[in-house]
Amino acid sequence: MSDTYQADLAWAQAQDAADPLRGFRDEFLIPPHEGRDGFYFCGNSLGLQPRAVRPALSAELDYWGELAVEGHFKGRAPWLNYEDYLRDDLAALVGAKPIEVVAMNTLGVNLHLMMVSFYRPTAERPAILVEAGAFPTDRYAVESQIRYHGFDPADALIELEGDGPNGTLTMAAIERALAEHGQRVALVLLPGIQYRTGQAFDLKAITALAHARGCTVGFDLAHAVGNLPLALHDTGADFAVWCHYKYVNSGPGAVGGVFVHERHAQADLPRFHGWWGNRRDNRFQMAPDFDPTPGAEGWQLSNPPILAMVPLRISLEIFRRAGMERLRAKSLRLTGYLEWLVNTQLADLLQIITPADPAQRGAQLSIRVLGGRERGRALFDYLVERGIIGDWREPDVIRISPAPLYNRFAECLAFAEAVRAWSAGR
């Protein structure tokens, strides 16, 4: 595929004109820069706002104003069972059955709720296996859960050091760790995509390895949902958690998502009980005994925040129309083009640390500037001043993520040209 790429604006614009998904860009608000659209490559951190969100929120505010409590039962999408309007699209997005998913809370809260049920340490099996350098949400949560259960993280937190190029982690390393520590591991908690390196993992293979050792398996899919086609049910994982404010474009601090595998749908697992997790058919009987809804909805605590759910409903509708398979096909070419530009036009300036194998990454490329952190930060600031928005992750990584819903080939070329201009100016 790379032999068809060209570092030429006419070529890039031709690719954009032929893109069958090109119309979706118009459904998003592109941050402006000096009177024109900026170049936004930060959907891995915060996705753009769909234009349909504002009128949809306005409609809900109108219902609230006109109907008050009756809005639970009237209007286009009555609030009482609002999660119903998201469930099927959310299940399709992550490759799950509708009973296996729910939108609720935020990622960190959901991770703790899942560990209440799925991290059940014993003296013989107290440990949690994570990757070294895990995102703080995961690192802080697992350490605090270990302490809460009376164990010492120095002994019960096992961190997998990267053994591949640029700090990436091989399946062989995961297999070795489970062979060595599996009998002590209660929970394996790994990301779908590692946030700093951009490496994507084989969730089904990891689950099989961990289950063979008697471990429970959960995934943090913050950087994977809306980025990669997922098949959560088929992975066999026990649970997964994620946010919706990155590639799923549902707004800062958006309501998060949870997957609980169907085999646990009726299981009598320990959990924190909440009214909204009680069965619908007797929820309003206000009985003292908790009767959980089968499936992931049984982990809900409170009624959903409607105004926060609206952007997610809108975004899920966009993903349904675009289709993850089509988005992935475009993403492979778009990120492949960015990679080709870096490797052929900027190899004397930049190094990509994300795996070169497209099967081991999503949209994101994590890039280091040759010459160290100071030069890297100088380039990052230069790009921001020119309306080219990626993000910076300490100690020295610039993340550039062309999202297929709204990014273009011509924007990738503009990034490369800006890097070359920065180098020439220095």
Side-chain angles (χ1 to χ4, degrees):
M1 183 183 296
S2 62
D3 59 356
T4 67
Y5 293 140
Q6 298 178 31
D8 175 78
L9 181 58
W11 181 90
Q13 290 175 333
Q15 307 312 302
D16 292 327
D19 175 16
L21 300 175
R22 63 187 180 279
F24 284 98
R25 178 183 171 91
D26 295 333
E27 298 190 30
F28 293 87
L29 294 169
I30 311 297
H33 178 75
E34 297 181 349
R36 58 167 175 78
D37 288 348
F39 303 95
Y40 192 80
F41 295 107
C42 209
N44 60 300
S45 187
L46 179 65
L48 296 182
Q49 181 186 138
R51 292 180 183 274
V53 164
R54 187 178 296 273
L57 278 172
S58 181
E60 296 300 339
L61 290 171
D62 288 343
Y63 296 147
W64 180 17
E66 296 164 7
L67 300 172
V69 72
E70 289 296 300
H72 286 90
F73 316 104
K74 299 177 181 179
R76 191 180 79 82
W79 304 327
L80 184 63
N81 297 316
Y82 201 86
E83 56 265 47
D84 291 351
Y85 315 126
L86 285 71
R87 185 188 307 107
D88 288 353
D89 285 345
L90 184 56
L93 182 65
V94 300
K97 297 184 178 182
I99 196 174
E100 296 176 317
V101 297
V102 65
M104 66 180 193
N105 308 312
T106 53
L107 190 157
V109 173
N110 290 334
L111 179 54
H112 277 291
L113 292 176
M114 290 297 100
M115 285 195 286
V116 168
S117 299
F118 294 104
Y119 173 53
R120 309 302 303 167
T122 64
E124 296 76 22
R125 195 182 277 269
I128 300 178
L129 180 69
V130 300
E131 88 274 20
F135 195 85
T137 295
D138 297 355
R139 183 63 169 73
Y140 299 163
V142 297
E143 183 173 347
S144 65
Q145 286 277 339
I146 288 169
R147 293 188 187 280
Y148 176 79
H149 284 281
F151 297 97
D152 184 354
D155 173 67
L157 179 56
I158 300 171
E159 297 182 270
L160 275 171
E161 295 289 344
D163 63 325
N166 302 304
T168 55
L169 188 61
T170 67
M171 282 298 300
I174 298 172
E175 190 168 6
R176 286 194 301 270
L178 287 169
E180 180 180 355
H181 303 289
Q183 73 280 3
R184 297 185 60 246
V185 172
L187 171 65
V188 173
L189 179 68
L190 290 171
I193 291 180
Q194 213 286 331
Y195 82 99
R196 183 180 285 111
T197 66
Q199 179 186 9
F201 293 95
D202 186 334
L203 309 186
K204 187 172 185 178
I206 290 170
T207 300
L209 286 172
H211 279 172
R213 299 288 178 175
C215 314
T216 300
V217 182
F219 293 107
D220 177 346
L221 303 179
H223 290 84
V225 171
N227 183 6
L228 294 175
L230 297 170
L232 286 187
H233 176 80
D234 292 342
T235 69
D238 295 286
F239 73 89
V241 295
W242 60 89
C243 54
H244 289 118
Y245 53 80
K246 300 180 189 298
Y247 295 100
V248 191
N249 310 304
S250 299
V255 173
V258 168
F259 162 86
V260 178
H261 197 277
E262 183 183 34
R263 67 178 173 275
H264 301 301
Q266 304 277 358
D268 184 21
L269 291 167
R271 72 180 86 186
F272 287 160
H273 297 172
W275 181 46
W276 218 252
N278 199 83
R279 299 182 72 102
R280 293 186 187 188
D281 55 4
N282 62 17
R283 182 181 292 160
F284 283 87
Q285 294 176 13
M286 310 300 187
D289 296 325
F290 179 69
D291 185 9
T293 300
E297 289 187 12
W299 273 264
Q300 294 178 106
L301 298 180
S302 303
N303 55 318
I306 302 303
L307 298 180
M309 300 279 266
V310 169
L312 178 56
R313 176 172 63 83
I314 296 299
S315 185
L316 289 173
E317 290 172 355
I318 293 173
F319 273 92
R320 184 202 328 135
R321 287 187 284 114
M324 272 308 303
E325 295 302 325
R326 291 203 302 164
L327 287 168
R328 175 59 171 165
K330 178 181 174 181
S331 183
L332 287 168
R333 276 188 49 80
L334 197 60
T335 296
Y337 182 50
L338 177 63
E339 176 190 42
W340 179 84
L341 287 167
V342 172
N343 288 339
T344 62
Q345 312 296 307
L346 305 169
D348 58 328
L349 299 171
L350 305 180
Q351 174 198 19
I352 297 172
I353 66 172
T354 305
D357 178 6
Q360 295 185 57
R361 69 182 187 215
Q364 172 185 325
L365 292 184
S366 295
I367 297 168
R368 286 194 177 113
V369 178
L370 300 178
R373 183 189 184 281
E374 183 178 343
R375 280 173 55 83
R377 189 69 209 195
L379 172 59
F380 179 78
D381 293 341
Y382 176 93
L383 295 172
V384 170
E385 289 172 2
R386 283 148 185 82
I388 300 174
I389 307 300
D391 71 350
W392 176 266
R393 282 293 174 262
E394 295 292 352
D396 59 355
V397 170
I398 298 173
R399 301 190 301 182
I400 301 294
S401 302
L405 272 173
Y406 48 76
N407 282 125
R408 294 171 169 171
F409 286 83
E411 293 178 299
C412 294
L413 181 60
F415 165 81
E417 290 175 340
V419 174
R420 181 55 67 190
W422 167 78
S423 175
R426 291 175 63 89

